[in-house]
Amino acid sequence: MPDVEPQAEQPAAGRRRRQRSIATRLILVAALWSLAALLVTGFVLVAMYREASEREFDARLDVYLKAIIGEMAAGTPSEPAEPGNLGDPRFDLPASGWYWLVMRAETGEVLFSSMSLLGDRLQLEAPPPGEVLRSLVVGPRSAQLRVLQRTIIFGEAAAYRIAVAGETAELRERETDFAGQVALTLLVLGIGLVGAIFLQVRVGLRPLATLSASLAAVRRGDAQTVDENLPPELKPLAVELNALVRSNREVVERARTHVGNLAHALKTPLSVILNEVRGQQAPFAGKVAEQAEVMRAQVNHHLERARMAAQRRVIGVSCDVEPVLARLIRAMTRIHRDRGIDISLDIRTRLRFRGEEQDLEEMTGNLIDNACKWATSRVRVSVAASGKGEGAERIVLTIADDGPGLGESEMAEALKRGRRLDETVPGTGLGLSIVVDLAALYGGDLALARDRGQGGGGLSARLTLPAI
């Protein structure tokens, strides 16, 4: 079957709610708070301006009311004098929006009114005795009027109701203009605040970006320790991370030492047993030698797995893929030069393997060597990147030959530890199983398939490994 691209794993973010960055959260919260504060400020300012405008408007009406009272006082209590235009020509203009009238308090009979009323009447409620009544009424031309009323008593029995009204359209226009100016001012202020918040958050979180870059350098192997030249809030974290890196390396070194000691402790007795039985022809001796060889293979396999597991947990270990493959291909070309095997390499971008260079050599070396053993004339090695986006990027190495290939059941058997499909080809039978185990320890995998790109029928081994 043809090479198949590895299926993209569903990112974890697709299964759970995507988390926003700290910078986005800080900017969003600060921006929302600033927006709410500016809105409240705008409403408060407009309300205060409206209240001040209405007080100023009422004060003007009160001046006119007092002027009417003063002019009426020029007459007698029973025959008050008629007020004039109060020094404002709008009271003489018909339907100007400014009106006054004087009525008898007992009967509501209109005694005097401004010329601007032209006989129209205002529907007014009587104010309480001794109090000033402020109200809104609908006047001529359906205009809204703000009215100030007061009842006065001349002498002992003459009581008069005096009302002064002014149209509120001009007042509302000024309030609307002021609200627009406030909105524009606060909008500019809000944009400035959001910009300042953005800069503040970016500058404030820059040390986190520095720490992240330093950690990435350690993970890639470009640095041995995390940079501790950070603000006081982050420096303890960098110190603890460096302590963790040192502790990790010490644990790995101890594990390697124990693995080496165990290898020597087990291999020496097995070698003694094999030397003792090799010169004997008895069936028992042959059985002992056979089982001792099996034990040696098992010890080598499990010790290799322990070494690989320890190496995988080393922080900051990585290597370039292309130099390793180029070196292996040169070596394999020399080894199989008598068969004229053509080994090609196709790698179009620089990729780094997140692991030990020795492990990459062992995995790819086993696969290339296996392909060369079974190939008729050609072996193709290609490298590509996969898994970009959420999670780590991955390397996909494909080693294909133009040999006889394997059936589906034979492919499954070939990946089992210790299985040999053809005794005529030299090897221990542990190569592919070691590749499978080592790839699994790095979070990768090995898959076999029929390769249609090599003349139909060859074997294609696809090795997936983590990358930086």
Side-chain angles (χ1 to χ4, degrees):
M1 58 186 298
D3 285 341
V4 180
E5 290 296 327
Q7 293 184 353
E9 298 179 359
Q10 183 180 5
R15 298 189 296 267
R16 63 177 182 270
R17 182 175 176 268
R18 183 181 178 87
Q19 294 292 325
R20 292 190 179 94
S21 67
I22 295 177
T24 301
R25 293 182 183 185
L26 292 176
I27 293 172
L28 184 60
V29 170
L32 290 176
W33 170 252
S34 300
L35 176 62
L38 291 176
L39 286 176
V40 172
T41 301
F43 283 118
V44 170
L45 288 175
V46 172
M48 292 174 63
Y49 180 82
R50 180 183 296 112
E51 184 179 354
S53 298
E54 290 176 352
R55 283 200 305 267
E56 187 271 337
F57 196 86
D58 290 343
R60 188 191 310 177
L61 294 178
D62 187 61
V63 169
Y64 291 143
L65 189 145
K66 290 177 178 178
I68 292 173
I69 294 174
E71 292 193 15
M72 290 175 60
T76 62
S78 59
E79 295 290 338
E82 181 178 359
N85 64 5
L86 308 179
D88 192 336
R90 289 179 296 182
F91 290 108
D92 292 336
L93 298 175
S96 64
W98 288 83
Y99 315 101
W100 62 262
L101 53 84
V102 178
M103 299 172 288
R104 294 189 183 276
E106 298 85 358
T107 62
E109 177 188 358
V110 176
L111 295 179
F112 311 113
S113 64
S114 63
M115 294 179 62
S116 56
L117 273 174
L118 286 177
D120 290 327
R121 297 290 302 271
L122 300 179
Q123 302 297 324
L124 304 175
E125 295 182 3
E131 295 184 13
V132 176
L133 177 64
R134 295 174 175 85
S135 60
L136 294 174
V137 300
V138 177
R141 299 184 305 172
S142 301
Q144 187 182 59
L145 304 178
R146 189 170 182 86
V147 181
L148 193 68
Q149 294 186 78
R150 183 177 178 183
T151 300
I152 61 172
I153 299 176
F154 283 169
E156 297 181 355
Y160 303 96
R161 282 171 53 195
I162 304 173
V164 181
E167 192 172 318
T168 60
E170 180 183 351
L171 181 65
R172 300 308 173 206
E173 288 178 4
R174 286 188 296 169
E175 291 176 0
T176 302
D177 292 340
F178 180 78
Q181 295 173 0
V182 168
L184 180 60
T185 303
L186 294 181
L187 176 62
V188 174
L189 179 60
I191 294 174
L193 282 176
V194 172
I197 291 168
F198 180 81
L199 292 177
Q200 180 182 7
V201 170
R202 288 300 180 186
V203 173
L205 294 182
R206 187 171 296 170
L208 285 178
T210 302
L211 177 60
S212 177
S214 183
L215 280 172
V218 172
R219 182 173 61 88
R220 292 192 304 267
D222 297 337
Q224 296 296 317
T225 58
V226 177
D227 185 10
E228 297 181 2
N229 186 22
L230 295 169
E233 294 82 2
L234 293 179
K235 186 173 182 179
L237 176 59
V239 172
E240 291 299 325
L241 287 173
N242 284 330
L244 178 62
V245 171
R246 288 192 296 268
S247 175
N248 179 269
R249 290 185 178 136
E250 291 171 359
V251 168
V252 170
E253 289 301 325
R254 286 197 297 268
R256 287 176 175 171
T257 301
H258 293 324
V259 167
N261 293 339
L262 181 59
H264 287 293
L266 293 176
K267 287 181 178 180
T268 301
L270 288 175
S271 298
V272 172
I273 292 173
L274 287 172
N275 290 335
E276 289 293 329
V277 300
R278 275 174 182 163
Q280 302 182 22
Q281 301 299 324
F284 176 75
K287 192 66 175 177
V288 170
E290 177 188 345
Q291 294 302 313
E293 287 291 351
V294 173
M295 291 173 63
R296 173 181 287 179
Q298 295 289 333
V299 167
N300 288 337
H301 176 77
H302 287 288
L303 289 179
E304 183 68 12
R305 288 197 63 175
R307 181 191 67 81
M308 292 186 297
Q311 288 178 343
R312 178 180 177 265
R313 287 163 175 79
V314 177
I315 297 175
V317 176
S318 64
C319 65
D320 282 326
V321 175
E322 184 174 9
V324 173
L325 293 178
R327 187 167 59 248
L328 284 172
I329 288 175
R330 287 194 299 268
M332 293 298 171
T333 300
R334 287 194 297 269
I335 292 173
H336 299 279
R337 64 178 176 273
D338 57 330
R339 298 178 54 218
I341 301 297
D342 177 27
I343 309 175
S344 64
L345 174 62
D346 180 15
I347 178 170
R348 302 180 182 181
T349 181
R350 183 188 178 189
L351 294 172
R352 289 181 66 85
F353 166 59
R354 189 187 300 169
E356 292 270 358
E357 181 176 324
Q358 178 182 350
D359 293 335
L360 181 62
E361 285 183 351
E362 185 163 358
M363 289 184 286
T364 55
N366 271 296
L367 294 175
I368 296 174
D369 183 52
N370 183 73
C372 290
K373 288 176 181 178
W374 293 98
T376 302
S377 61
R378 291 176 299 174
V379 172
R380 176 169 52 87
V381 181
S382 61
V383 185
S386 179
K388 290 184 178 180
E390 293 293 334
E393 182 181 348
R394 305 184 75 77
I395 301 172
V396 179
L397 300 100
T398 305
I399 297 94
D401 62 72
D402 61 349
L406 298 174
E408 295 293 337
S409 60
E410 290 175 320
M411 292 179 196
E413 289 293 321
L415 297 178
K416 294 182 180 178
R417 175 162 38 92
R419 296 293 296 175
R420 295 287 308 280
L421 298 180
D422 193 337
E423 299 293 337
T424 64
V425 179
T428 63
L430 297 176
L432 290 182
S433 64
I434 289 176
V435 175
V436 171
D437 289 339
L438 187 51
L441 287 172
Y442 279 104
D445 61 72
L446 174 65
L448 302 179
R450 299 282 290 182
D451 182 59
R452 302 300 183 188
Q454 294 280 5
L459 182 67
S460 172
R462 189 188 66 226
L463 177 63
T464 305
L465 296 173
I468 293 180

mmCIF file of all heavy atoms in Angstrom, residues 357-395:
data_model
loop_
_atom_site.group_PDB
_atom_site.id
_atom_site.type_symbol
_atom_site.label_atom_id
_atom_site.label_comp_id
_atom_site.label_asym_id
_atom_site.label_seq_id
_atom_site.Cartn_x
_atom_site.Cartn_y
_atom_site.Cartn_z
ATOM 1 N N GLU A 357 21.161 12.255 20.162
ATOM 2 C CA GLU A 357 21.637 11.961 18.810
ATOM 3 C C GLU A 357 21.922 10.470 18.656
ATOM 4 O O GLU A 357 21.663 9.877 17.603
ATOM 5 C CB GLU A 357 22.898 12.779 18.530
ATOM 6 C CG GLU A 357 23.465 12.562 17.138
ATOM 7 C CD GLU A 357 24.655 13.459 16.863
ATOM 8 O OE1 GLU A 357 24.641 14.612 17.350
ATOM 9 O OE2 GLU A 357 25.587 13.010 16.185
ATOM 10 N N GLN A 358 22.449 9.830 19.711
ATOM 11 C CA GLN A 358 22.750 8.404 19.661
ATOM 12 C C GLN A 358 21.479 7.582 19.419
ATOM 13 O O GLN A 358 21.489 6.601 18.672
ATOM 14 C CB GLN A 358 23.426 7.972 20.963
ATOM 15 C CG GLN A 358 23.742 6.486 21.035
ATOM 16 C CD GLN A 358 24.366 6.119 22.361
ATOM 17 O OE1 GLN A 358 24.734 6.985 23.143
ATOM 18 N NE2 GLN A 358 24.484 4.828 22.628
ATOM 19 N N ASP A 359 20.370 7.996 20.048
ATOM 20 C CA ASP A 359 19.110 7.268 19.860
ATOM 21 C C ASP A 359 18.586 7.434 18.443
ATOM 22 O O ASP A 359 18.069 6.476 17.840
ATOM 23 C CB ASP A 359 18.064 7.767 20.858
ATOM 24 C CG ASP A 359 18.431 7.404 22.293
ATOM 25 O OD1 ASP A 359 19.174 6.422 22.466
ATOM 26 O OD2 ASP A 359 17.981 8.094 23.212
ATOM 27 N N LEU A 360 18.704 8.668 17.881
ATOM 28 C CA LEU A 360 18.268 8.878 16.500
ATOM 29 C C LEU A 360 19.101 8.034 15.550
ATOM 30 O O LEU A 360 18.571 7.432 14.603
ATOM 31 C CB LEU A 360 18.379 10.366 16.152
ATOM 32 C CG LEU A 360 17.942 10.748 14.738
ATOM 33 C CD1 LEU A 360 16.468 10.417 14.522
ATOM 34 C CD2 LEU A 360 18.192 12.234 14.472
ATOM 35 N N GLU A 361 20.403 7.967 15.801
ATOM 36 C CA GLU A 361 21.264 7.133 14.966
ATOM 37 C C GLU A 361 20.857 5.669 15.046
ATOM 38 O O GLU A 361 20.829 4.956 14.041
ATOM 39 C CB GLU A 361 22.722 7.292 15.397
ATOM 40 C CG GLU A 361 23.360 8.602 14.974
ATOM 41 C CD GLU A 361 24.817 8.658 15.363
ATOM 42 O OE1 GLU A 361 25.269 7.758 16.114
ATOM 43 O OE2 GLU A 361 25.514 9.590 14.926
ATOM 44 N N GLU A 362 20.549 5.214 16.258
ATOM 45 C CA GLU A 362 20.204 3.804 16.421
ATOM 46 C C GLU A 362 18.896 3.464 15.713
ATOM 47 O O GLU A 362 18.791 2.437 15.021
ATOM 48 C CB GLU A 362 20.100 3.459 17.907
ATOM 49 C CG GLU A 362 19.856 1.984 18.171
ATOM 50 C CD GLU A 362 20.156 1.600 19.605
ATOM 51 O OE1 GLU A 362 20.589 2.464 20.377
ATOM 52 O OE2 GLU A 362 19.941 0.426 19.940
ATOM 53 N N MET A 363 17.880 4.327 15.846
ATOM 54 C CA MET A 363 16.598 4.046 15.206
ATOM 55 C C MET A 363 16.701 4.104 13.681
ATOM 56 O O MET A 363 16.334 3.160 12.983
ATOM 57 C CB MET A 363 15.542 5.048 15.702
ATOM 58 C CG MET A 363 15.111 4.847 17.132
ATOM 59 S SD MET A 363 13.782 5.975 17.635
ATOM 60 C CE MET A 363 14.689 7.505 17.796
ATOM 61 N N THR A 364 17.230 5.202 13.158
ATOM 62 C CA THR A 364 17.302 5.342 11.706
ATOM 63 C C THR A 364 18.333 4.387 11.108
ATOM 64 O O THR A 364 18.148 3.882 9.988
ATOM 65 C CB THR A 364 17.643 6.798 11.338
ATOM 66 O OG1 THR A 364 18.848 7.193 12.012
ATOM 67 C CG2 THR A 364 16.516 7.732 11.733
ATOM 68 N N GLY A 365 19.407 4.118 11.850
ATOM 69 C CA GLY A 365 20.409 3.184 11.363
ATOM 70 C C GLY A 365 19.851 1.790 11.184
ATOM 71 O O GLY A 365 20.114 1.104 10.184
ATOM 72 N N ASN A 366 19.057 1.329 12.160
ATOM 73 C CA ASN A 366 18.422 0.019 12.046
ATOM 74 C C ASN A 366 17.501 -0.044 10.837
ATOM 75 O O ASN A 366 17.486 -1.032 10.092
ATOM 76 C CB ASN A 366 17.631 -0.295 13.320
ATOM 77 C CG ASN A 366 18.473 -0.984 14.367
ATOM 78 O OD1 ASN A 366 18.962 -2.097 14.178
ATOM 79 N ND2 ASN A 366 18.660 -0.314 15.493
ATOM 80 N N LEU A 367 16.707 1.032 10.630
ATOM 81 C CA LEU A 367 15.745 1.021 9.520
ATOM 82 C C LEU A 367 16.446 1.086 8.159
ATOM 83 O O LEU A 367 16.061 0.378 7.218
ATOM 84 C CB LEU A 367 14.773 2.193 9.678
ATOM 85 C CG LEU A 367 13.837 2.132 10.895
ATOM 86 C CD1 LEU A 367 13.008 3.406 10.993
ATOM 87 C CD2 LEU A 367 12.925 0.919 10.823
ATOM 88 N N ILE A 368 17.465 1.960 8.050
ATOM 89 C CA ILE A 368 18.170 2.065 6.768
ATOM 90 C C ILE A 368 18.926 0.773 6.471
ATOM 91 O O ILE A 368 18.939 0.288 5.325
ATOM 92 C CB ILE A 368 19.116 3.282 6.786
ATOM 93 C CG1 ILE A 368 18.303 4.587 6.921
ATOM 94 C CG2 ILE A 368 19.967 3.326 5.526
ATOM 95 C CD1 ILE A 368 19.153 5.826 7.084
ATOM 96 N N ASP A 369 19.564 0.198 7.499
ATOM 97 C CA ASP A 369 20.291 -1.056 7.299
ATOM 98 C C ASP A 369 19.340 -2.174 6.878
ATOM 99 O O ASP A 369 19.646 -2.974 5.979
ATOM 100 C CB ASP A 369 21.023 -1.419 8.584
ATOM 101 C CG ASP A 369 21.861 -2.675 8.431
ATOM 102 O OD1 ASP A 369 22.658 -2.749 7.479
ATOM 103 O OD2 ASP A 369 21.696 -3.603 9.251
ATOM 104 N N ASN A 370 18.187 -2.221 7.512
ATOM 105 C CA ASN A 370 17.205 -3.238 7.160
ATOM 106 C C ASN A 370 16.724 -3.061 5.712
ATOM 107 O O ASN A 370 16.575 -4.023 4.953
ATOM 108 C CB ASN A 370 16.017 -3.153 8.116
ATOM 109 C CG ASN A 370 14.972 -4.231 7.845
ATOM 110 O OD1 ASN A 370 15.185 -5.398 8.151
ATOM 111 N ND2 ASN A 370 13.853 -3.841 7.277
ATOM 112 N N ALA A 371 16.494 -1.784 5.309
ATOM 113 C CA ALA A 371 16.054 -1.517 3.939
ATOM 114 C C ALA A 371 17.128 -1.916 2.936
ATOM 115 O O ALA A 371 16.835 -2.475 1.867
ATOM 116 C CB ALA A 371 15.701 -0.039 3.785
ATOM 117 N N CYS A 372 18.398 -1.630 3.271
ATOM 118 C CA CYS A 372 19.489 -1.980 2.367
ATOM 119 C C CYS A 372 19.628 -3.499 2.219
ATOM 120 O O CYS A 372 19.940 -4.000 1.126
ATOM 121 C CB CYS A 372 20.799 -1.386 2.869
ATOM 122 S SG CYS A 372 20.900 0.419 2.718
ATOM 123 N N LYS A 373 19.391 -4.240 3.277
ATOM 124 C CA LYS A 373 19.518 -5.702 3.214
ATOM 125 C C LYS A 373 18.486 -6.313 2.268
ATOM 126 O O LYS A 373 18.756 -7.316 1.596
ATOM 127 C CB LYS A 373 19.354 -6.287 4.613
ATOM 128 C CG LYS A 373 20.534 -6.029 5.541
ATOM 129 C CD LYS A 373 20.259 -6.559 6.938
ATOM 130 C CE LYS A 373 21.424 -6.270 7.870
ATOM 131 N NZ LYS A 373 21.145 -6.737 9.251
ATOM 132 N N TRP A 374 17.282 -5.722 2.229
ATOM 133 C CA TRP A 374 16.217 -6.312 1.430
ATOM 134 C C TRP A 374 16.012 -5.624 0.089
ATOM 135 O O TRP A 374 15.295 -6.134 -0.780
ATOM 136 C CB TRP A 374 14.900 -6.260 2.214
ATOM 137 C CG TRP A 374 14.903 -7.144 3.415
ATOM 138 C CD1 TRP A 374 15.154 -6.786 4.695
ATOM 139 C CD2 TRP A 374 14.653 -8.545 3.428
ATOM 140 N NE1 TRP A 374 15.077 -7.863 5.527
ATOM 141 C CE2 TRP A 374 14.768 -8.978 4.780
ATOM 142 C CE3 TRP A 374 14.362 -9.492 2.452
ATOM 143 C CZ2 TRP A 374 14.600 -10.295 5.171
ATOM 144 C CZ3 TRP A 374 14.183 -10.814 2.840
ATOM 145 C CH2 TRP A 374 14.307 -11.209 4.185
ATOM 146 N N ALA A 375 16.636 -4.454 -0.120
ATOM 147 C CA ALA A 375 16.419 -3.696 -1.366
ATOM 148 C C ALA A 375 17.051 -4.401 -2.550
ATOM 149 O O ALA A 375 18.069 -5.099 -2.427
ATOM 150 C CB ALA A 375 16.986 -2.293 -1.225
ATOM 151 N N THR A 376 16.458 -4.185 -3.720
ATOM 152 C CA THR A 376 17.025 -4.699 -4.970
ATOM 153 C C THR A 376 18.086 -3.750 -5.499
ATOM 154 O O THR A 376 19.195 -4.177 -5.852
ATOM 155 C CB THR A 376 15.916 -4.884 -6.017
ATOM 156 O OG1 THR A 376 14.931 -5.784 -5.507
ATOM 157 C CG2 THR A 376 16.488 -5.430 -7.318
ATOM 158 N N SER A 377 17.770 -2.456 -5.535
ATOM 159 C CA SER A 377 18.747 -1.496 -6.063
ATOM 160 C C SER A 377 18.636 -0.106 -5.443
ATOM 161 O O SER A 377 19.584 0.670 -5.517
ATOM 162 C CB SER A 377 18.594 -1.360 -7.585
ATOM 163 O OG SER A 377 17.267 -0.875 -7.895
ATOM 164 N N ARG A 378 17.487 0.194 -4.818
ATOM 165 C CA ARG A 378 17.285 1.563 -4.350
ATOM 166 C C ARG A 378 16.691 1.604 -2.942
ATOM 167 O O ARG A 378 15.864 0.764 -2.579
ATOM 168 C CB ARG A 378 16.347 2.324 -5.285
ATOM 169 C CG ARG A 378 16.919 2.618 -6.659
ATOM 170 C CD ARG A 378 15.885 3.275 -7.537
ATOM 171 N NE ARG A 378 14.718 2.405 -7.745
ATOM 172 C CZ ARG A 378 13.617 2.768 -8.367
ATOM 173 N NH1 ARG A 378 13.498 4.014 -8.801
ATOM 174 N NH2 ARG A 378 12.635 1.920 -8.541
ATOM 175 N N VAL A 379 17.095 2.613 -2.181
ATOM 176 C CA VAL A 379 16.517 2.928 -0.873
ATOM 177 C C VAL A 379 16.277 4.432 -0.832
ATOM 178 O O VAL A 379 17.181 5.221 -1.166
ATOM 179 C CB VAL A 379 17.435 2.499 0.292
ATOM 180 C CG1 VAL A 379 16.887 3.022 1.620
ATOM 181 C CG2 VAL A 379 17.588 0.996 0.335
ATOM 182 N N ARG A 380 15.065 4.829 -0.472
ATOM 183 C CA ARG A 380 14.699 6.252 -0.433
ATOM 184 C C ARG A 380 14.414 6.662 1.001
ATOM 185 O O ARG A 380 13.572 6.064 1.677
ATOM 186 C CB ARG A 380 13.463 6.502 -1.299
ATOM 187 C CG ARG A 380 12.946 7.938 -1.241
ATOM 188 C CD ARG A 380 11.889 8.167 -2.320
ATOM 189 N NE ARG A 380 10.858 7.147 -2.250
ATOM 190 C CZ ARG A 380 9.770 7.241 -1.469
ATOM 191 N NH1 ARG A 380 9.606 8.291 -0.701
ATOM 192 N NH2 ARG A 380 8.875 6.276 -1.483
ATOM 193 N N VAL A 381 15.137 7.698 1.477
ATOM 194 C CA VAL A 381 14.941 8.241 2.827
ATOM 195 C C VAL A 381 14.394 9.655 2.676
ATOM 196 O O VAL A 381 15.030 10.512 2.058
ATOM 197 C CB VAL A 381 16.259 8.261 3.624
ATOM 198 C CG1 VAL A 381 16.011 8.815 5.028
ATOM 199 C CG2 VAL A 381 16.867 6.871 3.696
ATOM 200 N N SER A 382 13.220 9.899 3.225
ATOM 201 C CA SER A 382 12.619 11.236 3.150
ATOM 202 C C SER A 382 12.217 11.684 4.550
ATOM 203 O O SER A 382 11.841 10.868 5.401
ATOM 204 C CB SER A 382 11.397 11.232 2.225
ATOM 205 O OG SER A 382 10.410 10.342 2.706
ATOM 206 N N VAL A 383 12.310 12.991 4.770
ATOM 207 C CA VAL A 383 12.004 13.580 6.074
ATOM 208 C C VAL A 383 11.067 14.759 5.863
ATOM 209 O O VAL A 383 11.292 15.589 4.980
ATOM 210 C CB VAL A 383 13.288 14.055 6.797
ATOM 211 C CG1 VAL A 383 12.954 14.540 8.205
ATOM 212 C CG2 VAL A 383 14.327 12.949 6.844
ATOM 213 N N ALA A 384 10.018 14.829 6.666
ATOM 214 C CA ALA A 384 9.050 15.935 6.582
ATOM 215 C C ALA A 384 8.580 16.292 7.978
ATOM 216 O O ALA A 384 8.722 15.510 8.925
ATOM 217 C CB ALA A 384 7.863 15.552 5.692
ATOM 218 N N ALA A 385 8.017 17.498 8.101
ATOM 219 C CA ALA A 385 7.460 17.958 9.375
ATOM 220 C C ALA A 385 5.961 17.747 9.366
ATOM 221 O O ALA A 385 5.305 17.854 8.328
ATOM 222 C CB ALA A 385 7.780 19.430 9.602
ATOM 223 N N SER A 386 5.405 17.444 10.529
ATOM 224 C CA SER A 386 3.964 17.225 10.643
ATOM 225 C C SER A 386 3.527 17.655 12.026
ATOM 226 O O SER A 386 4.328 17.823 12.940
ATOM 227 C CB SER A 386 3.630 15.748 10.417
ATOM 228 O OG SER A 386 2.235 15.528 10.561
ATOM 229 N N GLY A 387 2.204 17.831 12.163
ATOM 230 C CA GLY A 387 1.649 18.141 13.484
ATOM 231 C C GLY A 387 1.815 19.574 13.903
ATOM 232 O O GLY A 387 1.840 19.861 15.086
ATOM 233 N N LYS A 388 1.920 20.525 12.940
ATOM 234 C CA LYS A 388 2.046 21.927 13.323
ATOM 235 C C LYS A 388 0.725 22.427 13.880
ATOM 236 O O LYS A 388 -0.325 21.992 13.497
ATOM 237 C CB LYS A 388 2.454 22.777 12.119
ATOM 238 C CG LYS A 388 3.888 22.515 11.671
ATOM 239 C CD LYS A 388 4.277 23.453 10.555
ATOM 240 C CE LYS A 388 5.723 23.234 10.143
ATOM 241 N NZ LYS A 388 6.133 24.135 9.057
ATOM 242 N N GLY A 389 0.823 23.390 14.794
ATOM 243 C CA GLY A 389 -0.385 23.921 15.436
ATOM 244 C C GLY A 389 -0.315 23.626 16.914
ATOM 245 O O GLY A 389 0.685 23.857 17.572
ATOM 246 N N GLU A 390 -1.417 23.122 17.478
ATOM 247 C CA GLU A 390 -1.457 22.790 18.891
ATOM 248 C C GLU A 390 -0.520 21.606 19.159
ATOM 249 O O GLU A 390 -0.437 20.659 18.403
ATOM 250 C CB GLU A 390 -2.882 22.415 19.322
ATOM 251 C CG GLU A 390 -3.848 23.565 19.258
ATOM 252 C CD GLU A 390 -3.528 24.633 20.270
ATOM 253 O OE1 GLU A 390 -2.924 24.302 21.304
ATOM 254 O OE2 GLU A 390 -3.865 25.792 20.018
ATOM 255 N N GLY A 391 0.182 21.668 20.269
ATOM 256 C CA GLY A 391 1.070 20.585 20.626
ATOM 257 C C GLY A 391 2.407 20.720 19.912
ATOM 258 O O GLY A 391 2.694 21.650 19.185
ATOM 259 N N ALA A 392 3.295 19.689 20.110
ATOM 260 C CA ALA A 392 4.628 19.737 19.550
ATOM 261 C C ALA A 392 4.616 19.374 18.082
ATOM 262 O O ALA A 392 3.830 18.559 17.634
ATOM 263 C CB ALA A 392 5.534 18.780 20.328
ATOM 264 N N GLU A 393 5.528 19.976 17.332
ATOM 265 C CA GLU A 393 5.717 19.583 15.940
ATOM 266 C C GLU A 393 6.379 18.214 15.931
ATOM 267 O O GLU A 393 7.148 17.867 16.828
ATOM 268 C CB GLU A 393 6.599 20.614 15.250
ATOM 269 C CG GLU A 393 6.822 20.335 13.779
ATOM 270 C CD GLU A 393 7.715 21.375 13.144
ATOM 271 O OE1 GLU A 393 7.953 22.405 13.794
ATOM 272 O OE2 GLU A 393 8.174 21.132 12.033
ATOM 273 N N ARG A 394 6.100 17.435 14.892
ATOM 274 C CA ARG A 394 6.639 16.084 14.830
ATOM 275 C C ARG A 394 7.397 15.885 13.531
ATOM 276 O O ARG A 394 7.143 16.531 12.525
ATOM 277 C CB ARG A 394 5.514 15.056 14.959
ATOM 278 C CG ARG A 394 4.685 15.257 16.221
ATOM 279 C CD ARG A 394 3.643 14.192 16.396
ATOM 280 N NE ARG A 394 4.208 12.929 16.826
ATOM 281 C CZ ARG A 394 4.597 12.654 18.069
ATOM 282 N NH1 ARG A 394 4.479 13.567 19.005
ATOM 283 N NH2 ARG A 394 5.081 11.466 18.381
ATOM 284 N N ILE A 395 8.363 14.968 13.596
ATOM 285 C CA ILE A 395 9.157 14.607 12.433
ATOM 286 C C ILE A 395 8.655 13.271 11.904
ATOM 287 O O ILE A 395 8.451 12.336 12.685
ATOM 288 C CB ILE A 395 10.643 14.494 12.803
ATOM 289 C CG1 ILE A 395 11.158 15.812 13.370
ATOM 290 C CG2 ILE A 395 11.475 14.070 11.597
ATOM 291 C CD1 ILE A 395 12.554 15.715 13.935
#
